[in-house]
Structure formats: structure tokens, C-alpha cells
Amino acid sequence: QVQLVESGGGLVQAGGSLRLSCVASGRTFSSYAMGWFRQAPGKEREFVAAISASGRSTYYAGSVKGRFTISRDNAKNTVYLQMNSLKPEDTAVYYCAADAGLILTTTLNRYDYWGQGTQVTVSS
């Protein structure tokens, strides 16, 4: 069982930055690939970024590539999402998720554990 707790969300102006953190419980964090997803009001939850268990591989949605950076610190059981050049369309609840599979995936239902989410609001 893995419990995930996100933090770092808030209100920011367009063009600003935020860094989200997700702390995992348990001693097996380093064996999970981690992903960030987001869900805007009235929309489906969508993939944002993913990072392999080792941290060597990352993958991004086209809408955030070049603006967002996913990273992890396995010694701290934490995954991060650095978000720069934020746009109003980035407004959503952001969720981190853990995947026990061996292949980095963008598929929502492949992830085994989810956090409760943190709200990010970008004003124009």
C-alpha cells in the first residue's frame, strides 16, 4: 500500500511558477514509476508527466513540454513537478500517482495509487 500526499498548489498569475510536491509513504517508493495528472472543471483527468522508478526516464504531455519538469528524490520519497510559464489553461486539480509497472505509461488506469490532489489556479 502506498499513500500519496500532494502539496504546493495555489493561485498564481499567468507567466508565474509553482512547484508541486508529492510525498509517498512506505519503503518501496523507489520501485514505482510516478506520474502527474490534472483535471479541470468539467473535463476528464489527463496525463501531464511521468518519471521512471530510477528517475532516468521522463515523459511529458505536449501541452506542458518545455514548461514543466518532473523529478524525484527517492531518498525523500518525493516526486516534484516544477511548473514554469503557467497559463490560465493549466488551471486544474493536480494529482500524483504511483505505477508498479515496468513500463513508463501515460494511461490513467495503469496507475495503482493516487493522491487527493492539489488545486492550481492561474489567473490571466
Side-chain angles (χ1 to χ4, degrees), residues 9-112:
L11 174 63
V12 64
Q13 289 188 332
S17 298
L18 283 174
R19 188 175 82 155
L20 305 183
S21 299
C22 173
V23 179
S25 65
R27 292 178 287 180
T28 59
F29 175 76
S30 61
S31 65
Y32 287 86
M34 298 297 296
W36 285 97
F37 292 76
R38 66 186 182 187
Q39 188 166 17
K43 295 188 177 181
E44 293 186 351
R45 194 170 298 189
E46 65 175 5
F47 170 78
V48 175
I51 188 166
S52 62
S54 67
R56 295 191 187 98
S57 298
T58 59
Y59 188 76
Y60 297 92
S63 58
V64 307
K65 195 170 185 179
R67 299 189 297 123
F68 291 10
T69 302
I70 188 170
S71 61
R72 67 190 296 160
D73 185 338
N74 285 344
K76 295 182 178 179
N77 279 16
T78 303
V79 62
Y80 305 98
L81 186 68
Q82 177 67 44
M83 305 185 296
N84 299 329
S85 302
L86 282 161
K87 305 175 181 180
E89 51 264 43
D90 294 318
T91 294
V93 177
Y94 283 71
Y95 299 88
C96 71
D99 171 28
L102 299 177
I103 299 174
L104 206 59
T105 180
T106 66
T107 304
L108 187 147
N109 61 15
R110 289 284 304 275
Y111 284 80
D112 304 290

